[in-house]
Amino acid sequence: MITLAHIQEVRSRIAAARSEGKSIGFVPTMGYLHDGHCSLLRKAKQEHGFVVLSIFVNPTQFAPTEDLDRYPRDLERDSRNAEAAGCDLIFVPSVAEMYPQGYSSYVTVEGLSSVLEGEFRPEHFRGVTTVVMKLMNIVQADTTYFGQKDAQQSIIIKKMAADLNLPGRIDIVPTVREADGLAMSSRNVYLTPEQRSNAPVLHRSLQLAQQLTRSGERDPQVIIEAMRSLIQQHAPTQIDYIRIVGASDLQERTVLVTGETVLIPLAVRFGTTRLIDNIVITI
Ligand code: PAF
């Protein structure tokens, strides 16, 4: 496995892999890898001859008040985990490599980027789609892998790829959870022991929503209130949102219709740590 910091070197190494007849799988990340990231790498390795991982804590997707500076970083540990999961090349660009002086181009997916997370993080998805577009252009993979935990991000990236005719496939891989149900996230390290013991309630509330729909509940407000009241019992600092939306248009549903697939995303703060999770349910 090699680690490269410059775009030109990455392009040359990937061209060499292609000339050896290898297809390319790509996993973009911000590093501090957990088993969720490693599951993307393992899947990429099963499906492709050459696997590229990018590690870049992308400043354009953080608001000035957010955790850009303290976002966890550990390149040594990431390298070991990436290699064990089948990675062939890690791309670790600097901020100047990705956004050189005078940089001025941004990609925005309108509509989908301003709801849910977008209501709380207005510039976030513009930063995500811009950096993902750049990384996908650099790597030009046959398949690029993202995690279902960031459901809205995945939907927006798929829309960007379709609207802008990006070549290659996008694969959304199921969320990997801790034994107690907490979705794996690099930000889980911020949780105090008490917050960590309360956080699995998010997954339990999503399971509760699923049970309610299975037992015939069709009123989104009843489901949301049941989820809210369960979460409230576990000392959240703030529930930013719990919504029931169409799984591809992200528009809120006022009634659940049999056969429709909905996404139930939520964002909850424990102290200063903001956790997101979701479930997709076909009614
Ligand atoms: O999901 C992430 O880790 C980031 O948003 C991504 C897709 C790597 C873009 O910076």
Side-chain angles (χ1 to χ4, degrees):
M1 189 184 72
I2 49 169
T3 302
L4 299 173
H6 298 291
I7 294 166
Q8 225 28 66
E9 300 167 336
V10 170
R11 283 193 196 278
S12 310
R13 185 64 196 86
I14 291 172
R18 281 222 184 266
S19 71
E20 292 160 18
K22 292 177 176 163
S23 63
I24 311 296
F26 176 39
V27 179
T29 76
M30 298 205 299
Y32 211 68
L33 303 185
H34 50 67
D35 203 48
H37 297 118
C38 293
S39 78
L40 305 183
L41 289 168
R42 286 192 292 268
K43 182 143 196 245
K45 194 61 184 184
Q46 276 164 20
E47 297 176 353
H48 296 286
F50 193 81
V51 174
V52 180
L53 165 75
S54 65
I55 296 182
F56 180 60
V57 183
N58 172 38
T60 63
Q61 69 188 76
F62 289 79
T65 52
E66 292 179 350
D67 55 344
L68 173 63
D69 291 338
R70 71 179 188 122
Y71 196 85
R73 293 159 168 92
D74 188 342
L75 185 55
E76 253 180 55
R77 198 190 63 151
D78 284 353
S79 302
R80 283 197 303 276
N81 290 341
E83 187 158 25
C87 178
D88 296 292
L89 188 169
I90 309 187
F91 175 39
V92 198
S94 65
V95 173
E97 183 78 7
M98 293 298 282
Y99 300 110
Q101 192 127 42
Y103 185 90
S104 61
S105 301
Y106 293 87
V107 180
T108 306
V109 175
E110 291 179 5
L112 295 175
S113 298
S114 51
V115 297
L116 302 169
E117 284 299 285
E119 291 166 35
F120 293 84
R121 310 180 72 190
E123 298 296 315
H124 173 67
F125 287 118
R126 173 184 188 255
V128 171
T129 40
T130 299
V131 82
V132 168
M133 182 76 178
K134 285 172 65 68
L135 291 166
M136 287 177 73
N137 278 334
I138 293 164
V139 175
Q140 300 191 5
D142 297 280
T143 312
T144 305
Y145 299 83
F146 297 91
Q148 171 63 22
K149 191 192 72 99
D150 297 295
Q152 185 177 6
Q153 168 174 284
S154 300
I155 290 165
I156 290 172
I157 289 169
K158 280 187 141 182
K159 183 78 168 84
M160 171 181 80
D163 284 355
L164 300 181
N165 310 104
L166 294 190
R169 220 165 54 86
I170 288 179
D171 190 0
I172 310 303
V173 179
T175 303
V176 177
R177 298 180 180 281
E178 304 286 355
D180 59 10
L182 178 63
M184 289 195 184
S185 163
S186 306
R187 289 188 167 101
N188 290 349
V189 292
Y190 298 152
L191 296 169
T192 64
E194 197 194 336
Q195 291 163 350
R196 174 64 189 79
S197 70
N198 282 317
V201 73
L202 302 187
H203 182 232
R204 290 206 299 282
S205 77
L206 295 166
Q207 290 176 313
L208 172 64
Q210 186 167 46
Q211 280 159 23
L212 288 169
T213 59
R214 281 186 182 155
S215 57
E217 183 55 64
R218 293 291 178 264
D219 183 344
Q221 281 319 311
V222 171
I223 296 169
I224 289 169
E225 277 321 307
M227 293 173 71
R228 185 180 297 279
S229 112
L230 178 62
I231 293 170
Q232 291 290 10
Q233 292 163 34
H234 289 79
T237 307
Q238 188 176 308
I239 299 176
D240 279 355
Y241 63 81
I242 305 169
R243 304 262 171 80
I244 302 188
V245 299
S248 46
D249 64 14
L250 300 183
Q251 292 301 304
E252 272 187 74
R253 295 298 187 255
T254 50
V255 64
L256 299 181
V257 179
T258 304
E260 197 192 10
T261 302
V262 294
L263 170 71
I264 309 186
L266 53 77
V268 175
R269 293 172 205 250
F270 288 92
T272 54
T273 305
R274 190 168 178 281
L275 300 179
I276 60 171
D277 203 347
N278 68 83
I279 192 169
V280 174
I281 300 174
T282 298
I283 304 297

